[in-house]
Amino acid sequence: MNRQEAMSRIERQFRSVIQRNRKLHNAYFLVHCEPLGIHLNMAEGTTRGQPSLPQQRYYIASISKLFTSVLTAMLAEEGKLTYEDPIHHYLPSELMHKLHVYKGTDYSTQIQIKHLLSHTSGLNDYFEDRPKQGPRMLDLFTSEPSRQWTPQEVIQWSKEHLTSHFPPGQGIHYSDTGYHLLGLLIENITSNPLHEAFRRYLFEPLQLHHTHMAFYSTPAVEDPYPMADLYAGQTAITHYKSISMEYAGGALISTSENLLTFMKALTSGKLISNESLQRMQVWTKFRPGVDYGYGIVRFRTVPILFPARYNAWGAWGYSGTVMFYHPALDAYLICSLNQLRSTAKAVRIMFKAIDVLLKCR
């Protein structure tokens, strides 16, 4: 298969998936592979009645966690923290009070920064964990769209309604709550609001002019394109103030090209040293074939389930966002489906593109 055939096939596959699925209103897919001379940046669907464009901004959901973890690594390189530091050294006592109680024992002072990054703290996940009584935060997210949340309010809600899962370092449980704590920790260390820390350490140096934090900042350069709509089923939730609850773990907005710039800077050592990147890849088994590091997800070979050809690392999010690097191909694959609970579909789109690229070598 030659380069042109590969690009045509990837594009046909992507557009076909979106056009066949009534739940997907707009979608974005970027495939970049310099060794093969391939750069595809595509959009399909509509935004408020107008055709979607590849240049549009969209919510990147939990891909934001990789930005947060890289910023944490940069602070570690500056000597402003270590991964083994207890988080109570950086956070106010009222926030730490009974933060992590498990089977009657308070483990709050035993939580280290690395536990938050790797989801091994044992803390709850405010977004998806189910309280013993009352609605989940995920339900409040859609039922109270005009409510704006501070990270402190979210953490307090989680302390009042949810329970911890295990002592720090003794398991893995995905925790958006943990990334809220990381964001507040970063604010304390840098003496800047989180959105300003992102701008200073990442957005400005990389010239990510169209990347910003929802409800906290705006793009550095005015954008002539409308932001892509985000959906929960058939409901557009793009402008729900409740998205503010996402903060350090999921509130960033970006474009496919900006995300490519970020990933290329990360893999090339422009942001952090190779040693720091390796440290972030301390893997914990998350689910079969999927491991989690410090804000990084990787697909690992599992016979039958995950063939070796899909080995890649990067980040993903709840709204069908994926941002992965495939080392064997030196390829970057970035996708957003802008629909809650659609991550598996985005991963399948990415895997199909990888299959095509492998045939093009």
Side-chain angles (χ1 to χ4, degrees):
M1 186 185 302
N2 63 36
R3 168 181 166 274
Q4 196 58 49
E5 289 173 337
M7 293 172 67
S8 296
R9 181 171 296 185
I10 291 170
E11 182 167 2
R12 284 198 308 272
Q13 289 176 345
F14 165 66
R15 295 193 188 282
S16 175
V17 169
I18 311 310
Q19 291 167 3
R20 292 198 315 264
N21 194 317
R22 293 182 180 180
K23 288 185 177 181
L24 301 180
H25 303 271
N26 58 74
Y28 304 83
F29 192 28
L30 184 152
V31 179
H32 179 86
C33 182
E34 287 185 26
L36 297 178
I38 289 175
H39 182 85
L40 274 170
N41 191 9
M42 303 169 283
E44 181 63 34
T46 60
T47 298
R48 274 150 266 159
Q50 298 299 314
S52 298
L53 300 169
Q55 300 89 346
Q56 285 177 267
R57 290 172 294 130
Y58 50 79
Y59 284 102
I60 68 172
S62 284
I63 287 177
S64 305
K65 290 182 173 67
L66 185 50
F67 281 76
T68 299
S69 65
V70 168
L71 177 47
T72 304
M74 296 171 84
L75 295 174
E77 288 188 343
E78 291 182 357
K80 294 181 177 177
L81 61 83
T82 72
Y83 289 121
E84 288 71 33
D85 287 345
I87 65 170
H88 72 87
H89 289 176
Y90 302 97
L91 297 171
S93 57
E94 61 270 19
L95 195 71
M96 294 298 304
H97 180 64
K98 293 187 177 180
L99 176 68
H100 185 337
V101 178
Y102 176 69
K103 293 186 175 180
T105 301
D106 192 334
Y107 292 96
S108 303
T109 59
Q110 297 183 30
I111 304 172
Q112 299 174 10
I113 291 174
K114 66 181 181 182
H115 295 143
L116 301 182
L117 288 162
S118 59
H119 300 296
T120 57
S121 67
L123 287 169
N124 57 70
D125 176 23
Y126 77 82
F127 195 62
E128 289 200 82
D129 280 6
R130 189 177 295 277
K132 292 180 180 179
Q133 292 183 333
R136 292 181 299 171
M137 181 66 85
L138 177 57
D139 300 319
L140 296 177
F141 172 75
T142 52
S143 65
E144 299 182 8
S146 62
R147 180 171 180 178
Q148 192 152 344
W149 294 79
T150 67
Q152 292 87 348
E153 287 172 338
V154 171
I155 293 167
Q156 184 60 36
W157 183 92
S158 71
K159 287 199 288 186
E160 293 173 358
H161 294 88
L162 303 173
T163 57
S164 295
H165 294 271
F166 48 81
Q170 296 188 24
I172 185 166
H173 180 79
Y174 196 87
S175 176
D176 285 282
T177 311
Y179 270 77
H180 272 43
L181 293 163
L182 276 171
L184 294 172
L185 184 148
I186 289 168
E187 291 191 349
N188 179 289
I189 290 174
T190 62
S191 299
N192 280 298
L194 182 60
H195 65 276
E196 284 295 319
F198 277 137
R199 180 187 60 78
R200 175 185 163 196
Y201 280 86
L202 295 172
F203 303 164
E204 284 189 352
L206 296 179
Q207 298 184 25
L208 305 182
H209 297 318
H210 304 296
T211 304
H212 60 107
M213 194 170 173
F215 299 100
Y216 288 88
S217 60
T218 56
V221 175
E222 190 170 347
D223 192 332
Y225 308 103
M227 196 174 99
D229 278 329
L230 175 65
Y231 285 84
Q234 297 299 318
T235 303
I237 61 173
T238 321
H239 301 295
Y240 279 21
K241 289 184 178 179
S242 55
I243 292 175
S244 59
M245 70 172 59
E246 289 291 85
Y247 186 57
L252 292 185
I253 294 169
S254 192
T255 65
S256 296
E257 291 286 0
N258 271 197
L259 293 178
L260 175 62
T261 298
F262 171 77
M263 280 297 278
K264 290 178 75 173
L266 181 58
T267 59
S268 67
K270 187 175 179 181
L271 281 173
I272 56 176
S273 68
N274 185 59
E275 291 76 16
S276 291
L277 183 57
Q278 290 300 313
R279 178 65 196 272
M280 291 171 63
Q281 298 181 45
V282 176
W283 303 111
T284 303
K285 184 178 179 181
F286 184 56
R287 59 183 65 158
V290 182
D291 297 332
Y292 208 97
Y294 292 0
I296 299 181
V297 177
R298 78 165 177 183
F299 294 112
R300 174 177 42 83
T301 304
V302 174
I304 301 174
L305 183 62
F306 276 116
R309 67 180 183 271
Y310 297 136
N311 286 0
W313 62 264
W316 58 15
Y318 194 68
S319 58
T321 52
V322 296
M323 178 181 71
F324 278 82
Y325 174 64
H326 191 287
L329 285 165
D330 190 19
Y332 301 83
L333 302 106
I334 297 163
C335 180
S336 177
L337 303 182
N338 289 301
Q339 176 65 261
L340 301 189
R341 300 187 178 93
S342 62
T343 308
K345 292 186 181 69
V347 170
R348 287 194 292 270
I349 288 171
M350 179 177 74
F351 283 174
K352 286 183 178 180
I354 289 172
D355 286 337
V356 174
L357 293 176
L358 288 169
K359 291 176 183 177
C360 189
R361 289 194 298 180

